[in-house]
Amino acid sequence: MNMQLFSAGLWKQQTVFIISLVIVLSLVGLGVVNPALLERYSSLIHEYIIETFGWGYMISALAFLVFNIWFALSKYGNIRLGKDSEKPQYSYFGWFSMLFAAGMGIGLIFWGVAEPMSHYLNPPEYLAGQSDGAAKFAMKYSFFHWGVHPWAVYITMSLAIAYFSFRRGMPPLISSCFYPLIGERIYGVFGYCIDILAVFATVFGIVTSLGLGAMQITTGLGEVFHFRPDFQAQVTVIAVVTVLFMISSMTGLDKGIQILSKTNILLAVTLLGFMLLVGPTAYILNVFTNTVADYLSGLFNMSLSTNPFQGYAWTQSWTIFYWAWWIAWSPFVGLFVASISRGRTIREFILGALLVPTLLTFLWFSVFGGAAFFLEIQEGAHIAKAVSENISVGMFRLYAHYPFSTLLTLITILLLAVFFVTSADSATYVLSMMTSQGNLYPSPAKKIVWGLMVSATAVILLYSGGLEALQKMAIAAALPFTVIMLFLCRSLVKGLRYEFKYLRDSSQE
Amino acid sequence: MHNDSTRSWQNTSEDSMLTHVVIPLSLKEYEQKLISMGRLLKYFGTKKASLIHVRSSNKKDTEPQDLTERIRSYASHLRGLGFEVDMYFKQGHIASQILSMAMELEADFISMFWESKRFLRKALLGNIDADVIRMSDLPVFVYKHSFFLAKEQKMSQAMYATNFRITDSHVMPYLTNPDFSTQVLYILHVGDRAPDPQAEALRKQQVQQNLGRLKAECEQAFYRIETLDVVGHPGNKVVHMAKRYGVDLLIIGKCDEQSSFEQIMGSTAQLIADKANCSIFIVPGAQRQ
């Protein structure tokens, strides 16, 4: 019997691994051989999904947020993600650092200045570009896109995984979370499909993130050292990052990712503090206070504003794109966040993951976005125009108006590189775990395979120009994942309700 | 356990728990339908039937004289089956009047015909049968008429759907009473799947233990007892299993304290009464634990 189970497990492990690898290689192969074809089809699918199901993403994201708040405040909030007597594996600082590094870090550096400036220059058509209204709108929507909604998506996924794996003793796989709904069928085709889709979304997400991150690092280095950020430079950056994240990956979760994440948070907070003190402090704090008020008062409105009459195209290309992106990212971030959250109560987990990173994000946007607005509006610096020409230069153009700009640029590049390494490291870990039947300690060989695979794909697609097409494919995976996540909520409620109703009673008797 | 497989399952006992029935009538029922229901009631050992017609206050389309003649005709059919019959007319809120009359007469249970109503009609006009089930503190027998079975009404297979926790204490007195019996009893448990395989195995084990306990308790009253355990939504699964096993009577308990969702959408008992193909015996009064 045990042998049979072992064989079945081994077969599943290899099935998910092989099928995922074949799908990824096929699409990457298409991206290399005929990037135009991949671009055409991925654009078609992507546009169709965004055009047709955009409203669904909006409703789902709000539903996840409501679901999380309800869960945190409900009687289930006291349930621990682990055994009743377990204590959290990581300190608050370590936990928040890793949460932030895996979930947002790299994106915030990329968009910290670029997003508010982009919205300011090109707001929806019902607002005049470069107006006071556009500035207010830009900050409000930057908060909105990076606020509680993405975390609600991540938390939903990771809460289910953490509950079913640490509390209920199942492998940390997304398919495990469906046991209350479909029982033993999680070990069949349905379970394979979910896990393969998760691998697919994670690989493509991390490849595009790696590619775009490499472009920004190269741009930053080019600004400091005055060279042209060409393909060769990008490959060099990816190669260095690959070596670093493979080393980090081999040292394991407890050391590699945690140390890097903590270092990065300290660096980020230092940078934030410097910009706040040296920059227009009162202006930045006014921007923060005002935008928090706008955000809180307009949260529900923004959550469901699809703007069908005017500004629909803007909503599609920003809000709905982001929502799809967060959902596509959720298998990776969800699994990673779950793996670092063992021992926390549901309430602590939800409130901590929802509020602390969001607050730091708001501060980040207020400091960098606010400083950029001060220069743009008060001093006529053309940061918005520079961003519209090349999004990855936003942060570096801002530094040009500050003392120690070269040092700031180098710190940002370091920050970017370390976030980059932690993202790639955690993605490699998650991919290896997903393709090892949820083994929390996957083999180094599997980590090497996925690590090299991700880096090689990023290089190839940077060369062939198929990176954006791949990003669109990743986003296309968000549609089935939205449905999967809605059922995940149902499954989690069923599981917790059962535990509360029967297992707790029996344990008390 | 009864060893005599040729036993007549028609109840002749003097101390049946279901001696006196209240039968609400709209007076539009087919007589054959009433006769078929009467035949089934004999299985419960019912001796006395109180026929009640309640006129809602705004209904003036039929003369009382016609109604009296009609109800007398129904009564004579039931007397022909050996029932002692009395008749009552009431006016007011139909479900409330039926229930208060049943309490006043100290009836043992209410027996009524289930009229399947389309969604829109149910939404607009309400459903008196569902109101009676919802409000009743007495057991309610819901008779589902089948024209194919009208002449050969039988009560050979019953199914008791249990959740172990809420309804057993109220339903078991009926099941363990040999007067309320059929040849075969299926004891069905419909429950939620546990959140992990280990807990699920434990759940199955506990369910089997509980089913075994209930089976042992009922053993004296039935010729054959089978136990069933399925996972899913009780409302749908009970109906499905009753159909699959071709049972003649479905026995369920009704919980008085409903969740907010049930208060809006109707209880599981109401759902089963609406969807099941066979007759249903609903025992009320259980408190949610």
Side-chain angles (χ1 to χ4, degrees):
Chain A
M1 183 64 189
N2 282 341
M3 272 308 288
Q4 274 181 328
L5 276 175
F6 178 74
S7 310
L10 201 67
W11 188 76
K12 173 172 181 175
Q13 180 183 331
Q14 296 310 322
T15 306
V16 171
F17 182 60
I18 292 166
I19 295 178
S20 313
L21 212 58
V22 168
I23 293 175
V24 170
L25 286 173
S26 308
L27 282 166
V28 170
L30 184 64
V32 174
V33 175
N34 195 343
L37 188 72
L38 182 68
E39 170 66 28
R40 198 169 78 221
Y41 282 111
S42 60
S43 293
L44 268 177
I45 296 169
H46 175 257
E47 277 162 26
Y48 175 77
I49 288 174
I50 295 280
E51 176 75 31
T52 316
F53 299 105
W55 57 272
Y57 287 132
M58 302 290 284
I59 292 174
S60 301
L62 180 64
F64 297 139
L65 180 62
V66 172
F67 175 79
N68 282 318
I69 293 170
W70 171 74
F71 241 123
L73 303 179
S74 76
K75 60 184 177 186
Y76 304 122
N78 294 323
I79 288 181
R80 203 168 281 282
L81 300 171
K83 304 297 168 205
D84 284 335
S85 56
E86 269 188 74
K87 297 279 178 287
Q89 285 181 329
Y90 300 99
S91 66
Y92 273 120
F93 180 56
W95 184 56
F96 287 133
S97 302
M98 287 193 277
L99 273 181
F100 201 75
M104 304 252 144
I106 203 163
L108 278 184
I109 296 176
F110 198 85
W111 291 107
V113 171
E115 177 153 353
M117 289 295 105
S118 295
H119 297 338
Y120 176 65
L121 203 63
N122 298 302
E125 57 226 49
Y126 56 82
L127 281 172
Q130 294 178 285
S131 62
D132 292 346
K136 199 173 164 163
F137 175 91
M139 284 310 297
K140 188 167 83 167
Y141 266 81
S142 299
F143 274 33
F144 176 56
H145 292 153
W146 297 81
V148 289
H149 287 74
W151 286 102
V153 171
Y154 292 161
I155 290 168
T156 304
M157 182 65 88
S158 51
L159 183 62
I161 296 166
Y163 174 74
F164 285 102
S165 53
F166 304 141
R167 181 98 184 153
R168 307 260 46 102
M170 299 181 73
L173 295 170
I174 296 168
S175 57
S176 300
C177 307
F178 287 87
Y179 189 82
L181 292 183
I182 60 168
E184 302 293 319
R185 277 173 287 176
I186 61 165
Y187 304 120
V189 175
F190 182 78
Y192 294 164
C193 289
I194 291 176
D195 292 335
I196 289 167
L197 195 64
V199 172
F200 169 84
T202 305
V203 170
F204 290 174
I206 195 68
V207 165
T208 44
S209 191
L210 207 67
L212 297 174
M215 283 163 64
Q216 199 188 12
I217 290 178
T218 320
T219 307
L221 288 170
E223 292 273 320
V224 178
F225 298 110
H226 307 291
F227 66 87
R228 198 166 158 267
D230 56 7
F231 176 67
Q232 273 182 332
Q234 288 164 351
V235 172
T236 311
V237 166
I238 289 179
V240 172
V241 165
T242 304
V243 171
L244 290 174
F245 84 71
M246 293 302 280
I247 293 169
S248 166
S249 181
M250 292 303 142
T251 58
L253 200 65
D254 293 337
K255 290 179 185 167
I257 298 177
Q258 194 184 184
I259 293 167
L260 286 175
S261 301
K262 282 179 175 174
T263 310
N264 236 23
I265 286 294
L266 287 174
L267 264 178
V269 171
T270 308
L271 194 63
L272 200 71
F274 177 84
M275 293 297 290
L276 178 65
L277 294 174
V278 176
T281 311
Y283 187 87
I284 287 170
L285 292 174
N286 274 326
V287 167
F288 174 75
T289 311
N290 190 64
T291 314
V292 166
D294 283 348
Y295 175 77
L296 291 177
S297 60
L299 187 64
F300 191 73
N301 192 325
M302 286 188 286
S303 298
L304 295 175
S305 287
T306 57
N307 299 314
F309 310 113
Q310 246 190 338
Y312 186 49
W314 188 92
T315 308
Q316 279 183 321
S317 56
W318 283 99
T319 307
I320 295 172
F321 177 89
Y322 267 128
W323 275 202
W325 181 245
W326 302 134
I327 292 168
W329 256 132
S330 65
F332 152 53
V333 182
L335 266 160
F336 180 74
V337 169
S339 67
I340 59 169
S341 303
R342 185 171 189 142
R344 301 205 176 270
T345 65
I346 287 180
R347 182 170 300 122
E348 186 185 13
F349 172 69
I350 293 177
L351 295 179
L354 201 62
L355 300 180
V356 176
T358 302
L359 187 65
L360 188 56
T361 303
F362 287 177
L363 281 169
W364 188 270
F365 269 108
S366 300
V367 169
F368 287 94
F373 270 120
F374 182 82
L375 290 170
E376 184 77 18
I377 296 170
Q378 310 286 333
E379 297 185 5
H382 297 292
I383 297 174
K385 191 167 172 285
V387 166
S388 73
E389 285 161 6
N390 182 359
I391 277 181
S392 55
V393 302
M395 197 77 99
F396 308 124
R397 286 285 184 273
L398 176 72
Y399 292 151
H401 299 268
Y402 276 73
F404 314 113
S405 65
T406 306
L407 182 66
L408 290 176
T409 304
L410 285 173
I411 289 174
T412 303
I413 292 166
L414 181 65
L415 205 56
L416 203 60
V418 181
F419 273 136
F420 203 5
V421 169
T422 48
S423 283
D425 183 357
S426 43
T428 309
Y429 168 73
V430 163
L431 284 171
S432 309
M433 196 169 74
M434 281 196 284
T435 51
S436 308
Q437 224 194 341
N439 183 357
L440 282 169
Y441 303 97
S443 69
K446 207 153 259 181
K447 286 184 187 171
I448 291 170
V449 168
W450 281 120
L452 292 178
M453 168 89 192
V454 163
S455 299
T457 308
V459 171
I460 292 167
L461 292 179
L462 266 175
Y463 179 74
S464 69
L467 210 57
E468 282 186 13
L470 205 67
Q471 189 180 31
K472 286 173 184 169
M473 292 302 286
I475 287 173
L479 183 64
F481 258 108
T482 309
V483 180
I484 285 171
M485 285 180 68
L486 290 170
F487 279 105
L488 209 63
C489 297
R490 171 83 185 121
S491 190
L492 185 60
V493 171
K494 266 181 94 83
L496 282 165
R497 193 171 281 166
Y498 186 94
E499 171 170 343
F500 229 80
K501 204 171 169 185
Y502 300 106
L503 301 177
R504 290 206 139 200
D505 286 356
S506 60
S507 68
Q508 283 162 11
E509 278 165 9
Chain B
M1 181 186 283
H2 296 286
N3 293 324
D4 180 8
S5 61
T6 59
R7 170 186 164 174
S8 162
W9 296 95
Q10 197 111 333
N11 193 349
T12 55
S13 170
E14 291 297 321
D15 57 352
S16 167
M17 294 173 74
L18 303 168
T19 308
H20 185 188
V21 63
V22 162
I23 305 175
L25 294 169
S26 69
L27 301 182
K28 288 176 185 169
E29 293 85 359
Y30 292 112
E31 289 182 340
Q32 186 58 47
K33 205 169 162 181
L34 184 70
I35 293 167
S36 299
M37 184 168 83
R39 285 196 187 116
L40 278 188
L41 292 177
K42 298 301 279 185
Y43 283 94
F44 300 153
T46 307
K47 305 255 182 310
K48 185 179 177 185
S50 299
L51 306 183
I52 298 176
H53 173 71
V54 183
R55 283 160 56 96
S56 56
S57 51
N58 58 350
K59 206 173 182 181
K60 293 173 183 170
D61 56 335
T62 317
E63 292 299 318
Q65 185 61 34
D66 296 341
L67 299 179
T68 312
E69 280 173 23
R70 263 191 248 167
I71 203 166
R72 277 184 181 153
S73 167
Y74 289 125
S76 70
H77 285 297
L78 288 179
R79 284 192 187 106
L81 292 171
F83 287 97
E84 180 192 327
V85 183
D86 47 15
M87 297 160 285
Y88 301 90
F89 284 100
K90 286 279 173 183
Q91 195 164 12
H93 181 257
I94 298 173
S96 304
Q97 288 297 326
I98 291 167
L99 294 171
S100 66
M101 199 64 204
M103 296 304 282
E104 198 179 302
L105 294 169
E106 295 182 347
D108 297 314
F109 70 115
I110 297 164
S111 176
M112 58 187 194
F113 304 98
W114 186 264
E115 297 293 343
S116 180
K117 292 178 179 60
R118 291 191 186 281
F119 174 76
L120 190 62
R121 193 176 163 193
K122 203 157 57 180
L124 294 176
L125 302 176
N127 186 338
I128 295 163
D129 307 336
D131 287 343
V132 171
I133 292 173
R134 181 172 55 82
M135 295 162 70
S136 178
D137 290 327
L138 288 173
V140 178
F141 174 62
V142 178
Y143 175 65
K144 294 274 182 108
H145 185 71
S146 162
F147 284 102
F148 300 107
L149 293 173
K151 287 181 183 171
E152 282 297 323
Q153 277 293 15
K154 60 187 175 67
M155 188 71 82
S156 62
Q157 297 198 104
M159 178 179 276
Y160 169 45
T162 174
N163 60 4
F164 300 137
R165 291 162 66 94
I166 301 173
T167 60
D168 285 352
S169 59
H170 292 75
V171 178
M172 287 312 280
Y174 292 94
L175 289 180
T176 51
N177 186 342
D179 300 323
F180 182 76
S181 63
T182 55
Q183 290 184 47
V184 182
L185 175 71
Y186 296 102
I187 304 178
L188 168 70
H189 174 260
V190 182
D192 286 328
R193 185 184 282 109
D196 65 81
Q198 209 178 346
E200 176 64 3
L202 190 67
R203 183 195 73 82
K204 280 182 178 168
Q205 196 186 337
Q206 284 172 346
V207 167
Q208 288 307 322
Q209 279 173 2
N210 281 322
L211 286 172
R213 176 179 52 79
L214 292 179
K215 183 180 176 180
E217 283 180 39
C218 301
E219 217 154 28
Q220 292 302 316
F222 295 88
Y223 179 65
R224 183 160 65 91
I225 300 176
E226 282 186 28
T227 57
L228 304 164
D229 174 27
V230 291
V231 167
H233 181 262
N236 299 330
K237 285 289 177 187
V238 169
V239 171
H240 171 75
M241 294 298 280
K243 195 174 174 183
R244 184 172 158 191
Y245 282 84
V247 300
D248 307 304
L249 178 69
L250 194 54
I251 304 153
I252 53 174
K254 178 172 75 91
C255 180
D256 280 352
E257 289 173 21
Q258 296 171 351
S259 66
S260 311
F261 182 77
E262 285 171 336
Q263 283 173 9
I264 296 165
M265 302 304 290
S267 68
T268 306
Q270 284 169 267
L271 180 74
I272 292 171
D274 198 26
K275 303 278 182 197
N277 288 333
C278 60
S279 297
I280 302 139
F281 191 80
I282 302 166
V283 182
Q287 301 294 311
R288 190 179 290 275
Q289 289 171 358

